[in-house]
Amino acid sequence: MAKKLPQPEQEMSFLDHLEELRWHLIRSTLAVVILGTLAFIFKEFIFDVLILGPKNKAEFPTYQMLCKGARLLGFEGSFCEAEFPFRIQSRTMAGQFSAHIWTSITAGFILAFPYVIYEFWKFVSPGLHSNERKSARGFIVVASLLFFMGVLFGYYVVTPLSINFLGNYQVSEQVFNDFDLSSYISLVRASVLASGIIFELPIIIYFLTKIGLVTPEFLRKYRKFALVIVLIVSAVITPPDIASQVIVAVPVIVLYEISIFISRAVIRNQNKKRRKSHGEPHR
């Protein structure tokens, strides 16, 4: 009996790709909704511990560390004050419920990020060669790790610096700070998500190098321009004081230098494969 030869995989049409993308998006959305529902249930922990945690100067670790640092330098900074001179209020009927919903969705996205990346990888990987898929097996782990590192950096560094500056800032002693709940949550959300995305820079550079849009020489040549962009981004996601901007800019600059190293490694591997395919001797 004759053996059947394996049939070559047929190329998917444009509509098939759209259908495949639709199901990846549906599964990713379901993961966000499920974990967002879980966050919705644990309302007290999400709000009292996480969201409102950076408002509590007496217990939040960032303020304690900065206060100790200020005292070692011989002065009492605003980080050592007992509490912030402002209140958080909700001035609309549906304000607290809307904040609960959108905060739960944000928490669901953060928690589901590894699965979202996994679905993205499943959609992209069929278009890669087998050796490329093997070399990028750690993509999900590395991308998730960088994202969570960025989220923690945004929560423990960017958020308290922003709250401390803006919460203590007054144009006049006759004007009191009473912040709306949605404004406070949007600051926390923007700080956390922006930092998480910024920390994905090495992954972005990796793929840009793979498709030939970026080279190590290009990154080194425009390092000065990148530094200016980093400072601009730092100014956008932090309060307008130099110390906060420098604190945020330092890890981003480190990530940029790591991205140059990653880009150089990608180019080196591509050159090795090219020489090997042409039978050239290894240098």
Side-chain angles (χ1 to χ4, degrees), residues 60-165:
F60 201 70
T62 303
Y63 300 124
Q64 296 175 356
M65 293 175 58
L66 291 173
C67 178
K68 290 179 181 178
R71 285 173 175 171
L72 286 175
L73 295 175
F75 64 91
E76 290 280 339
S78 60
F79 298 108
C80 299
E81 295 175 358
E83 59 183 14
F84 283 110
F86 67 83
R87 298 179 306 170
I88 298 176
Q89 59 184 348
S90 178
R91 297 179 298 168
T92 58
M93 287 293 293
Q96 296 197 49
F97 181 72
S98 297
H100 192 187
I101 292 291
W102 287 108
T103 301
S104 299
I105 293 174
T106 303
F109 172 76
I110 293 173
L111 294 173
F113 185 80
Y115 183 78
V116 173
I117 287 293
Y118 169 74
E119 289 292 340
F120 169 76
W121 178 248
K122 284 191 67 177
F123 177 72
V124 172
S125 59
L128 302 176
H129 297 293
S130 58
N131 57 343
E132 291 177 332
R133 286 197 292 268
K134 290 178 181 178
S135 63
R137 281 178 179 173
F139 164 72
I140 298 172
V141 175
V142 174
S144 300
L145 181 62
L146 287 172
F147 179 76
F148 288 131
M149 287 173 60
V151 167
L152 292 175
F153 181 80
Y155 181 74
Y156 283 105
V157 178
V158 180
T159 297
L161 288 176
S162 300
I163 292 176
N164 184 73
F165 178 84

Side-chain angles (χ1 to χ4, degrees), residues 7-213:
Q7 297 293 329
E9 295 183 3
Q10 296 181 351
E11 291 188 4
M12 297 175 64
S13 65
F14 178 71
L15 292 178
D16 291 335
H17 279 292
L18 287 181
E19 179 68 14
E20 187 73 15
L21 177 61
R22 185 172 75 92
W23 281 107
H24 286 299
L25 291 175
I26 288 175
R27 287 191 290 269
S28 299
T29 303
L30 282 175
V32 172
V33 170
I34 291 171
L35 292 174
T37 302
L38 188 65
F40 186 88
I41 295 172
F42 291 95
K43 176 181 67 174
E44 288 77 14
F45 175 76
I46 294 295
F47 280 88
D48 293 340
V49 177
L50 295 182
I51 300 297
L52 297 175
K55 183 182 177 297
N56 190 348
K57 273 194 172 183
E59 298 180 4
F60 201 70
T62 303
Y63 300 124
Q64 296 175 356
M65 293 175 58
L66 291 173
C67 178
K68 290 179 181 178
R71 285 173 175 171
L72 286 175
L73 295 175
F75 64 91
E76 290 280 339
S78 60
F79 298 108
C80 299
E81 295 175 358
E83 59 183 14
F84 283 110
F86 67 83
R87 298 179 306 170
I88 298 176
Q89 59 184 348
S90 178
R91 297 179 298 168
T92 58
M93 287 293 293
Q96 296 197 49
F97 181 72
S98 297
H100 192 187
I101 292 291
W102 287 108
T103 301
S104 299
I105 293 174
T106 303
F109 172 76
I110 293 173
L111 294 173
F113 185 80
Y115 183 78
V116 173
I117 287 293
Y118 169 74
E119 289 292 340
F120 169 76
W121 178 248
K122 284 191 67 177
F123 177 72
V124 172
S125 59
L128 302 176
H129 297 293
S130 58
N131 57 343
E132 291 177 332
R133 286 197 292 268
K134 290 178 181 178
S135 63
R137 281 178 179 173
F139 164 72
I140 298 172
V141 175
V142 174
S144 300
L145 181 62
L146 287 172
F147 179 76
F148 288 131
M149 287 173 60
V151 167
L152 292 175
F153 181 80
Y155 181 74
Y156 283 105
V157 178
V158 180
T159 297
L161 288 176
S162 300
I163 292 176
N164 184 73
F165 178 84
L166 298 174
N168 287 291
Y169 190 83
Q170 284 183 292
V171 294
S172 171
E173 293 184 357
Q174 301 180 49
V175 181
F176 297 94
N177 286 329
D178 284 324
F179 301 128
D180 194 72
L181 178 62
S182 61
S183 175
Y184 175 86
I185 291 178
S186 66
L187 184 145
V188 177
R189 180 174 58 240
S191 301
V192 168
L193 292 180
S195 299
I197 293 172
I198 289 173
F199 270 60
E200 294 293 324
L201 180 62
I203 299 293
I204 296 172
I205 294 299
Y206 172 83
F207 281 103
L208 291 178
T209 305
K210 291 286 286 186
I211 62 178
L213 291 180

